[in-house]
Amino acid sequence: MRNSPLNSILLLLAVSYLISVCAVHTQAGRQQEHAIRIQAGGSSFAARLYQQAITEYTLINTNISMSYASMSSARGTCRLMGYSDYCDTVSDKDEPTAISWSGTDSTLTEAEYEQCRDLQMYPAAAGAMAVVFNLPGWRSQTERLILTPQIVARIFRANITSWAHPHIVQLNAKLYEAGILTNASIKVVVREEASGNTDIFKSSLAKYDPDFLEQIGTSNQ
């Protein structure tokens, strides 16, 4: 991939939250001879952080066994609310289906709070999200590719479809003169399943481009 590197062009702050219930009605833990087993799952964005924290925690608290399954924010949240009632049980077969707490990159909606009033949400971690691009012939050592949030929003709503679009060329004249920005189509690749990162990304772009909000929206899919 030397001639077509993947590179980051836009960073967004992503906050991962830990959701738990005051009275755990989706109880996944059980006690066996004073040992406690807790299952959790959700956000893949923060999965490694949670898993490392669990490892450190269980080294100190040896009577507790805890695991965290990376599956997506939406799948974790619906399990915490109740798998059979809130998850798409046809397409979502990930295990475990019952958990005691969930990681999510999306804030809970008012409707979700109304449906499950004992849910509690706590900020747990923050990180950066990036858009990556694959542009043959581009060299980061010689010239940066500049794309504004407005241009990124228009790319993701299929309003800008070519690397040689005038608004991209205007910001990247040297790349155009070098023949790197051509009329080649921009192919957008997005995550298929519901994701907290998708929620964050779409909500951010919607703030820069009103047409993105109207045409694409801010759901997590």
Side-chain angles (χ1 to χ4, degrees):
M1 295 291 288
R2 261 185 204 177
N3 294 327
S4 55
L6 291 177
N7 302 277
S8 127
I9 57 174
L10 177 67
L11 292 179
L12 301 171
L13 181 65
V15 178
S16 183
Y17 299 88
L18 186 153
I19 309 177
S20 64
V21 288
C22 291
V24 183
H25 57 272
T26 57
Q27 181 63 38
R30 64 178 182 271
Q31 295 189 1
Q32 291 182 347
E33 298 178 354
H34 305 292
I36 301 173
R37 185 166 187 267
I38 300 173
Q39 292 183 310
S43 167
S44 57
F45 174 76
R48 292 187 67 180
L49 174 65
Y50 290 140
Q51 289 163 351
Q52 182 61 38
I54 288 171
T55 299
E56 299 293 333
Y57 180 81
T58 52
L59 284 175
I60 299 173
N61 299 275
T62 56
N63 67 318
I64 296 178
S65 171
M66 189 184 307
S67 63
Y68 181 92
S70 174
M71 58 182 67
S72 86
S73 298
R75 290 188 173 187
T77 300
C78 74
R79 278 164 172 71
L80 193 61
M81 296 173 68
Y83 174 76
S84 60
D85 293 328
Y86 296 99
C87 293
D88 182 354
T89 57
V90 176
S91 62
D92 180 0
K93 302 294 186 181
D94 290 343
E95 293 289 343
T97 58
I99 59 178
S100 295
W101 62 269
S102 170
T104 179
D105 309 322
S106 303
T107 56
L108 293 172
T109 65
E110 290 296 328
E112 287 171 333
Y113 270 125
E114 286 296 321
Q115 292 168 338
C116 298
R117 290 178 175 270
D118 55 351
L119 288 179
Q120 299 293 311
M121 198 170 200
Y122 308 94
M129 289 175 55
V131 177
V132 296
F133 65 93
N134 188 336
L135 184 58
W138 182 85
R139 290 287 187 276
S140 61
Q141 297 87 347
T142 58
E143 193 69 34
R144 291 188 305 163
L145 174 68
I146 301 173
L147 299 178
T148 65
Q150 291 83 359
I151 288 176
V152 173
R154 291 177 62 188
I155 289 173
F156 274 83
R157 65 177 174 90
N159 179 259
I160 292 179
T161 59
S162 167
W163 286 111
H165 188 281
H167 288 177
I168 297 179
V169 171
Q170 183 180 13
L171 296 174
N172 302 275
K174 291 184 180 180
L175 292 179
Y176 181 72
E177 293 167 1
I180 295 173
L181 296 179
T182 69
N183 287 319
S185 298
I186 300 174
K187 298 179 181 179
V188 176
V189 179
V190 298
R191 189 169 176 173
E192 182 179 7
E193 72 273 18
S195 165
N197 284 349
T198 301
D199 179 14
I200 295 169
F201 184 66
K202 291 168 71 174
S203 296
S204 298
L205 294 187
K207 293 177 181 178
Y208 290 102
D209 183 3
D211 289 332
F212 184 94
L213 176 61
E214 180 179 347
Q215 297 173 19
I216 306 299
T218 60
S219 72
N220 60 8
Q221 290 183 310

